Amino acid sequence: ALIAATTALPSALAAQTPATLKLRLLETSDLHVNVVPYDYFRDAADDTVGLAKTATLIKAAQAEAKNSLLFDNGDFLQGSSLGDYIAYKKGLKSGETHPIIAAMNTLPYACGTLGNHEFNYGLEFLEHGLAKAEFPLVCANVERVGGAPLVDPWRLFEQSFEDEAGRKHVLKIGVIGFVPPQIMQWDKANLDGKIVAIDIIDAAGKHLPELMKSEPDLVVALCHSGIAGGERKGMEENAALHLAKLEGIDVILTGHQHLVFPGAKAFDGIAGVDNVKGSLHGKPACQPGFWGSHLGILDLDLEKRGERWRIAGFRVEPKPIFERMADRKIVPKAAAEPGVLASVRTDHEATLLY
Ligand code: MN
Ligand code: MG
């Protein structure tokens, strides 16, 4: 009877006061095989790039938060001399691990999406790369000719989080991904007859209803697409603002433009865009620069009234790995994380020789 009385008390309180739960979403995007803080052309250290540095911000951001989820927004598999060394010299056979995948596997990515550059070296290279990823990838607007998925259009994660009163709640987090459909022109030689890419908003219309049937508490769009104003005509390369209008989508992680949101001047004055708070049509959104320059941090205050969770408030911060002073001097804001560096050491050294 004593046990029953003590366990009954918190639930009786819960019925009166809404549960509040802080969930921190973290975003990397457009890494382009930048892992080591190194400029291969100048053959010198470079404090402005590298997942090894972003990883230090990731670990600090996770340590500060009770609940967090890390996402990557695509364009990881192409770029930098390290990427060129793998694509043009060493190759990527079945069973081999691409250095960007090795580096990402050292971090607790919950999920990623595909960027347009994932298709640059053909489907076999991409499939060999993805096969070794220890995190799932989603993309809703690309499928194989004939209708088979290349990767899942969306995933539902059921995860236990702790609220501000220390109580556990299992939340259902839906994650859906998108890539610019222009891949069909940009990588025509690789994709013709193999892959079909459709409009991002049309793909959301096709797949979001299925995702909503599983009654997610929160839906995060991993949108490897940027932020642009104007009327929708269809097949937009930068469709994030249109995506934010859709009911069901709660948070939009953006990328592809290699810009910082909120903050970049390019986003000033676009209707529906809050370039200070970091929102698209009122929904939290971020874009974390490129090559690991920033970590996107989206702090959500979730509130449960009855059976429904909702976003009661949010703060968005694209946190940089360096600061550029007025005299253009670079001041580093993060050290390189040793585990990430170690994961690519052999390929990094081979790239220096190459
Ligand atoms: Mn990119
Ligand atoms: Mg891109």
Side-chain angles (χ1 to χ4, degrees), residues 243-298:
L243 194 66
K245 274 192 177 167
L246 301 186
E247 203 183 319
I249 302 271
D250 297 305
V251 179
I252 306 99
L253 305 189
T254 79
H256 183 58
Q257 293 166 309
H258 292 202
L259 295 172
V260 176
F261 180 76
K265 285 203 166 44
F267 302 126
D268 281 344
I270 303 176
V273 177
D274 188 327
N275 198 21
V276 176
K277 190 171 167 62
S279 69
L280 303 177
H281 296 301
K283 296 176 182 177
C286 194
Q287 187 171 148
F290 63 103
W291 299 358
S293 67
H294 294 69
L295 174 67
I297 303 177
L298 301 92

Side-chain angles (χ1 to χ4, degrees), residues 30 32 74-75 116-117 224 256 258:
D30 297 272
H32 288 283
D75 273 6
N116 51 297
H117 284 288
H224 185 86
H256 183 58
H258 292 202

Side-chain angles (χ1 to χ4, degrees), residues 307-348:
E307 288 307 298
R308 300 285 302 161
W309 288 95
R310 64 178 198 96
I311 299 176
F314 63 86
R315 292 153 304 283
V316 178
E317 181 193 6
K319 195 167 192 171
I321 62 168
F322 71 95
E323 197 177 330
R324 198 183 299 275
M325 307 309 280
D327 62 1
R328 303 196 62 78
K329 194 171 171 287
I330 301 293
V331 177
K333 294 288 180 186
E337 209 283 316
V340 176
L341 291 178
S343 72
V344 300
R345 183 159 296 133
T346 306
D347 285 328
H348 171 67

Side-chain angles (χ1 to χ4, degrees), residues 133-283:
E134 290 165 7
F135 50 91
L137 289 117
V138 291
C139 186
N141 66 321
V142 165
E143 61 183 28
R144 295 176 198 273
V145 168
L150 179 66
V151 296
D152 291 334
W154 53 268
R155 288 269 190 133
L156 189 78
F157 299 89
E158 293 195 38
Q159 196 161 328
S160 178
F161 297 109
E162 192 181 309
D163 72 15
E164 288 304 282
R167 290 168 300 201
K168 302 279 189 190
H169 301 267
V170 175
L171 267 72
K172 292 194 273 187
I173 315 277
V175 182
I176 186 166
F178 304 97
V179 68
Q182 282 72 16
I183 59 169
M184 296 310 298
Q185 289 101 58
W186 296 335
D187 271 307
K188 188 175 168 61
N190 290 329
L191 303 183
D192 244 6
K194 295 174 186 164
I195 287 289
V196 181
I198 66 169
D199 174 73
I200 288 172
I201 306 305
D202 288 350
K206 183 179 166 186
H207 291 284
L208 204 50
E210 295 166 60
L211 169 52
M212 298 314 286
K213 274 186 207 160
S214 52
E215 298 186 322
D217 295 301
L218 187 78
V219 174
V220 180
L222 305 185
C223 180
H224 185 86
S225 176
I227 303 159
E231 289 292 300
R232 180 176 171 238
K233 298 185 179 74
M235 296 298 271
E236 270 76 19
E237 180 180 343
N238 294 309
L241 191 53
H242 300 298
L243 194 66
K245 274 192 177 167
L246 301 186
E247 203 183 319
I249 302 271
D250 297 305
V251 179
I252 306 99
L253 305 189
T254 79
H256 183 58
Q257 293 166 309
H258 292 202
L259 295 172
V260 176
F261 180 76
K265 285 203 166 44
F267 302 126
D268 281 344
I270 303 176
V273 177
D274 188 327
N275 198 21
V276 176
K277 190 171 167 62
S279 69
L280 303 177
H281 296 301
K283 296 176 182 177

